[in-house]
Structure formats: structure tokens, C-alpha cells
Short mmCIF file of all heavy atoms in Angstrom, two decimals:
data_model
loop_
_atom_site.label_atom_id
_atom_site.label_comp_id
_atom_site.label_asym_id
_atom_site.label_seq_id
_atom_site.Cartn_x
_atom_site.Cartn_y
_atom_site.Cartn_z
N TYR A 24 142.20 -103.96 51.36
CA TYR A 24 142.33 -105.23 50.62
C TYR A 24 142.33 -106.39 51.63
O TYR A 24 142.36 -106.18 52.83
CB TYR A 24 143.63 -105.25 49.77
CG TYR A 24 143.73 -104.11 48.78
CD1 TYR A 24 144.88 -103.33 48.69
CD2 TYR A 24 142.66 -103.84 47.93
CE1 TYR A 24 144.95 -102.30 47.77
CE2 TYR A 24 142.77 -102.81 47.01
CZ TYR A 24 143.91 -102.04 46.92
OH TYR A 24 143.99 -101.02 46.01
N TYR A 25 142.33 -107.58 51.11
CA TYR A 25 142.24 -108.77 51.96
C TYR A 25 143.47 -109.61 51.84
O TYR A 25 144.20 -109.61 50.83
CB TYR A 25 140.99 -109.61 51.56
CG TYR A 25 140.88 -109.86 50.08
CD1 TYR A 25 141.55 -110.91 49.48
CD2 TYR A 25 140.01 -109.08 49.30
CE1 TYR A 25 141.43 -111.15 48.13
CE2 TYR A 25 139.87 -109.33 47.92
CZ TYR A 25 140.59 -110.36 47.34
OH TYR A 25 140.47 -110.62 46.02
N ALA A 26 143.74 -110.36 52.90
CA ALA A 26 144.82 -111.35 52.90
C ALA A 26 144.33 -112.60 52.18
O ALA A 26 143.14 -112.70 51.81
CB ALA A 26 145.24 -111.68 54.33
N LYS A 27 145.24 -113.55 51.99
CA LYS A 27 144.88 -114.77 51.24
C LYS A 27 145.24 -115.99 52.08
O LYS A 27 146.22 -116.04 52.82
CB LYS A 27 145.63 -114.83 49.90
CG LYS A 27 145.28 -113.70 48.95
CD LYS A 27 145.93 -113.95 47.62
CE LYS A 27 145.61 -112.84 46.60
NZ LYS A 27 146.43 -111.66 46.79
N GLY A 28 144.43 -117.04 51.91
CA GLY A 28 144.66 -118.33 52.58
C GLY A 28 144.23 -119.46 51.69
O GLY A 28 143.72 -119.28 50.55
N ILE A 29 144.41 -120.67 52.20
CA ILE A 29 144.08 -121.91 51.48
C ILE A 29 143.19 -122.76 52.35
O ILE A 29 143.37 -122.86 53.57
CB ILE A 29 145.38 -122.68 51.12
CG1 ILE A 29 146.27 -121.84 50.20
CG2 ILE A 29 145.03 -124.02 50.46
CD1 ILE A 29 145.69 -121.57 48.83
N VAL A 30 142.23 -123.42 51.72
CA VAL A 30 141.35 -124.32 52.45
C VAL A 30 142.21 -125.36 53.20
O VAL A 30 143.08 -126.00 52.61
CB VAL A 30 140.38 -125.03 51.49
CG1 VAL A 30 139.62 -126.13 52.21
CG2 VAL A 30 139.40 -124.04 50.89
N GLY A 31 141.94 -125.52 54.48
CA GLY A 31 142.63 -126.53 55.27
C GLY A 31 143.95 -126.10 55.85
O GLY A 31 144.60 -126.90 56.55
N LYS A 32 144.40 -124.85 55.62
CA LYS A 32 145.64 -124.34 56.24
C LYS A 32 145.28 -123.23 57.20
O LYS A 32 144.56 -122.32 56.84
CB LYS A 32 146.63 -123.83 55.20
CG LYS A 32 147.28 -124.96 54.38
CD LYS A 32 148.38 -124.42 53.47
CE LYS A 32 149.61 -124.02 54.25
NZ LYS A 32 150.33 -125.17 54.81
N LYS A 33 145.81 -123.31 58.40
CA LYS A 33 145.48 -122.36 59.43
C LYS A 33 145.86 -120.93 59.09
O LYS A 33 146.89 -120.69 58.46
CB LYS A 33 146.17 -122.73 60.76
CG LYS A 33 145.61 -124.00 61.42
CD LYS A 33 146.32 -124.28 62.74
CE LYS A 33 145.71 -125.53 63.40
NZ LYS A 33 146.41 -125.85 64.68
N ILE A 34 145.01 -119.99 59.48
CA ILE A 34 145.28 -118.59 59.34
C ILE A 34 145.71 -118.02 60.70
O ILE A 34 145.00 -118.20 61.70
CB ILE A 34 144.03 -117.81 58.85
CG1 ILE A 34 143.59 -118.33 57.50
CG2 ILE A 34 144.29 -116.32 58.80
CD1 ILE A 34 144.55 -118.12 56.37
N LYS A 35 146.87 -117.43 60.74
CA LYS A 35 147.37 -116.87 62.00
C LYS A 35 147.12 -115.37 62.01
O LYS A 35 147.48 -114.66 61.07
CB LYS A 35 148.87 -117.12 62.13
CG LYS A 35 149.48 -116.66 63.45
CD LYS A 35 150.96 -117.02 63.53
CE LYS A 35 151.57 -116.66 64.87
NZ LYS A 35 153.01 -117.04 64.94
N VAL A 36 146.47 -114.90 63.07
CA VAL A 36 146.18 -113.49 63.27
C VAL A 36 146.99 -112.99 64.49
O VAL A 36 146.94 -113.60 65.55
CB VAL A 36 144.68 -113.24 63.49
CG1 VAL A 36 144.40 -111.76 63.71
CG2 VAL A 36 143.89 -113.77 62.29
N GLU A 37 147.68 -111.89 64.31
CA GLU A 37 148.53 -111.33 65.37
C GLU A 37 148.12 -109.87 65.62
O GLU A 37 147.57 -109.20 64.79
CB GLU A 37 150.01 -111.40 64.96
CG GLU A 37 150.51 -112.77 64.61
CD GLU A 37 151.92 -112.74 64.10
OE1 GLU A 37 152.83 -112.43 64.88
OE2 GLU A 37 152.13 -112.99 62.91
N CYS A 38 148.44 -109.45 66.86
CA CYS A 38 148.20 -108.04 67.19
C CYS A 38 148.98 -107.68 68.44
O CYS A 38 149.51 -108.54 69.15
CB CYS A 38 146.72 -107.80 67.42
SG CYS A 38 146.08 -108.55 68.95
N ASP A 39 149.11 -106.38 68.68
CA ASP A 39 149.58 -105.84 69.94
C ASP A 39 148.36 -105.47 70.75
O ASP A 39 147.46 -104.73 70.23
CB ASP A 39 150.49 -104.64 69.76
CG ASP A 39 151.83 -105.02 69.11
OD1 ASP A 39 152.19 -106.21 69.20
OD2 ASP A 39 152.50 -104.15 68.53
N LEU A 40 148.25 -105.95 71.98
CA LEU A 40 147.09 -105.70 72.82
C LEU A 40 147.58 -105.36 74.23
O LEU A 40 148.38 -106.10 74.81
CB LEU A 40 146.19 -106.91 72.83
CG LEU A 40 144.85 -106.85 73.59
CD1 LEU A 40 143.82 -107.80 72.98
CD2 LEU A 40 145.02 -107.19 75.08
N PHE A 41 147.17 -104.21 74.74
CA PHE A 41 147.62 -103.79 76.08
C PHE A 41 146.63 -102.78 76.68
O PHE A 41 145.82 -102.22 75.97
CB PHE A 41 149.02 -103.21 76.01
CG PHE A 41 149.16 -102.06 75.04
CD1 PHE A 41 149.00 -100.73 75.46
CD2 PHE A 41 149.42 -102.31 73.70
CE1 PHE A 41 149.11 -99.70 74.55
CE2 PHE A 41 149.53 -101.26 72.80
CZ PHE A 41 149.38 -99.95 73.23
N GLY A 42 146.76 -102.59 77.97
CA GLY A 42 145.92 -101.62 78.65
C GLY A 42 146.74 -100.71 79.55
O GLY A 42 147.97 -100.87 79.66
N ASP A 43 146.08 -99.79 80.18
CA ASP A 43 146.79 -98.90 81.11
C ASP A 43 147.01 -99.62 82.44
O ASP A 43 146.31 -100.58 82.78
CB ASP A 43 145.98 -97.63 81.35
CG ASP A 43 144.60 -97.93 81.88
OD1 ASP A 43 144.45 -98.02 83.11
OD2 ASP A 43 143.67 -98.11 81.06
N GLY A 44 147.98 -99.18 83.19
CA GLY A 44 148.21 -99.71 84.51
C GLY A 44 148.73 -101.15 84.46
O GLY A 44 149.37 -101.56 83.49
N HIS A 45 148.39 -101.93 85.54
CA HIS A 45 148.93 -103.28 85.66
C HIS A 45 147.82 -104.33 85.65
O HIS A 45 148.07 -105.49 85.96
CB HIS A 45 149.74 -103.39 86.96
CG HIS A 45 150.89 -102.44 87.03
ND1 HIS A 45 152.02 -102.60 86.29
CD2 HIS A 45 151.03 -101.29 87.76
CE1 HIS A 45 152.86 -101.60 86.55
NE2 HIS A 45 152.27 -100.78 87.43
N ASP A 46 146.59 -103.95 85.30
CA ASP A 46 145.49 -104.91 85.30
C ASP A 46 145.69 -105.97 84.22
O ASP A 46 146.30 -105.70 83.16
CB ASP A 46 144.15 -104.23 85.08
CG ASP A 46 143.70 -103.46 86.32
OD1 ASP A 46 144.25 -103.70 87.39
OD2 ASP A 46 142.81 -102.61 86.18
N VAL A 47 145.16 -107.16 84.48
CA VAL A 47 145.24 -108.26 83.53
C VAL A 47 144.32 -107.93 82.35
O VAL A 47 143.16 -107.54 82.53
CB VAL A 47 144.81 -109.59 84.16
CG1 VAL A 47 144.81 -110.69 83.10
CG2 VAL A 47 145.77 -109.94 85.31
N VAL A 48 144.85 -108.07 81.12
CA VAL A 48 144.05 -107.85 79.92
C VAL A 48 143.90 -109.20 79.21
O VAL A 48 144.69 -110.13 79.40
CB VAL A 48 144.65 -106.83 78.97
CG1 VAL A 48 144.67 -105.45 79.64
CG2 VAL A 48 146.06 -107.23 78.54
N ASN A 49 142.88 -109.30 78.37
CA ASN A 49 142.64 -110.53 77.65
C ASN A 49 142.06 -110.15 76.28
O ASN A 49 141.67 -108.99 76.06
CB ASN A 49 141.69 -111.41 78.42
CG ASN A 49 141.99 -112.89 78.23
OD1 ASN A 49 142.58 -113.27 77.20
ND2 ASN A 49 141.64 -113.72 79.21
N GLY A 50 141.97 -111.13 75.42
CA GLY A 50 141.42 -110.86 74.09
C GLY A 50 140.97 -112.12 73.37
O GLY A 50 141.32 -113.25 73.76
N SER A 51 140.21 -111.88 72.34
CA SER A 51 139.68 -113.02 71.51
C SER A 51 139.76 -112.64 70.03
O SER A 51 139.68 -111.47 69.65
CB SER A 51 138.25 -113.33 71.89
OG SER A 51 138.13 -113.93 73.14
N LEU A 52 139.89 -113.67 69.22
CA LEU A 52 139.72 -113.59 67.79
C LEU A 52 138.38 -114.15 67.42
O LEU A 52 138.01 -115.27 67.82
CB LEU A 52 140.82 -114.36 67.06
CG LEU A 52 140.63 -114.62 65.57
CD1 LEU A 52 140.73 -113.30 64.80
CD2 LEU A 52 141.62 -115.63 65.06
N LEU A 53 137.59 -113.37 66.69
CA LEU A 53 136.28 -113.84 66.19
C LEU A 53 136.35 -113.93 64.67
O LEU A 53 136.90 -113.05 64.01
CB LEU A 53 135.16 -112.89 66.62
CG LEU A 53 134.82 -112.90 68.14
CD1 LEU A 53 135.69 -111.91 68.85
CD2 LEU A 53 133.37 -112.61 68.37
N TYR A 54 135.76 -114.98 64.10
CA TYR A 54 135.84 -115.19 62.66
C TYR A 54 134.62 -115.93 62.17
O TYR A 54 133.94 -116.66 62.91
CB TYR A 54 137.11 -115.95 62.32
CG TYR A 54 137.17 -117.35 62.93
CD1 TYR A 54 136.73 -118.46 62.22
CD2 TYR A 54 137.65 -117.55 64.22
CE1 TYR A 54 136.75 -119.74 62.77
CE2 TYR A 54 137.67 -118.81 64.79
CZ TYR A 54 137.23 -119.89 64.05
OH TYR A 54 137.26 -121.15 64.60
N LYS A 55 134.34 -115.77 60.90
CA LYS A 55 133.24 -116.50 60.26
C LYS A 55 133.34 -116.38 58.78
O LYS A 55 133.92 -115.42 58.22
CB LYS A 55 131.86 -115.97 60.72
CG LYS A 55 131.47 -114.59 60.18
CD LYS A 55 130.10 -114.21 60.70
CE LYS A 55 129.61 -112.91 60.07
NZ LYS A 55 129.23 -113.14 58.63
#
């Protein structure tokens, strides 16, 4: 199913993101 939002109100997307070891990790949100 889908979440709900309103025109003109920001949508906040959250997640847990991690990698092995101690290297720096990064991430992006893509939307359309």
C-alpha cells in the first residue's frame, strides 16, 4: 500500500543505512 501526503507539505522519508567496517557510507532519496 502507499503512504499519504498533501500538496505543498513536505514528505519525510527515513531509513537505517549502514555498511560493514568503518568506511564512510552515504545515501540519497530519489523521487518523482
Side-chain angles (χ1 to χ4, degrees):
Y24 302 131
Y25 49 82
K27 297 188 179 82
I29 298 293
V30 171
K32 287 188 72 71
K33 289 181 179 178
I34 300 295
K35 185 177 183 180
V36 179
E37 303 175 68
C38 70
D39 291 339
L40 184 152
F41 55 93
D43 59 88
H45 302 286
D46 287 344
V47 176
V48 296
N49 214 335
S51 289
L52 167 68
L53 290 88
Y54 62 94
K55 72 179 186 71

